[in-house]
Amino acid sequence: MTRRYPIGIQTFSEIIRESYVYVDKTDLVWQMAHYATFVFLSRPRRGYHGDRSLIFSENNQRLK
């Protein structure tokens, strides 16, 4: 049996319906939140479009 990974799949229902691999890390997140002193969570870079983030100030002006 081939493992199918949900790359690009955005909905949990589709992951389950199409039998993609799903790993529930809820317990690990709970342990980290309750026992860790400092936690750094990073996410992989997403390329050109994901690198551009807009930050707005209170008066809705774009900050650089």
Side-chain angles (χ1 to χ4, degrees):
M1 184 171 149
T2 304
R3 290 184 167 186
R4 296 177 53 208
Y5 296 99
I7 298 171
I9 307 300
Q10 300 295 318
T11 61
F12 181 74
S13 60
E14 186 175 354
I15 290 172
I16 299 304
R17 183 178 62 246
E18 299 296 327
S19 300
Y20 286 101
V21 173
Y22 172 73
V23 178
D24 185 0
K25 296 184 180 181
T26 305
D27 188 51
L28 296 174
V29 173
W30 187 91
Q31 290 177 18
M32 183 176 58
H34 285 84
Y35 298 119
T37 305
F38 295 99
V39 177
F40 173 72
L41 299 175
S42 72
R43 64 180 191 164
R45 293 184 58 142
R46 298 188 52 138
Y48 179 72
H49 297 291
D51 292 341
R52 293 186 295 158
S53 297
L54 296 179
I55 301 173
F56 292 92
S57 65
E58 292 177 8
N59 60 359
N60 211 22
Q61 292 180 355
R62 188 174 179 174
L63 301 176
K64 294 182 180 184

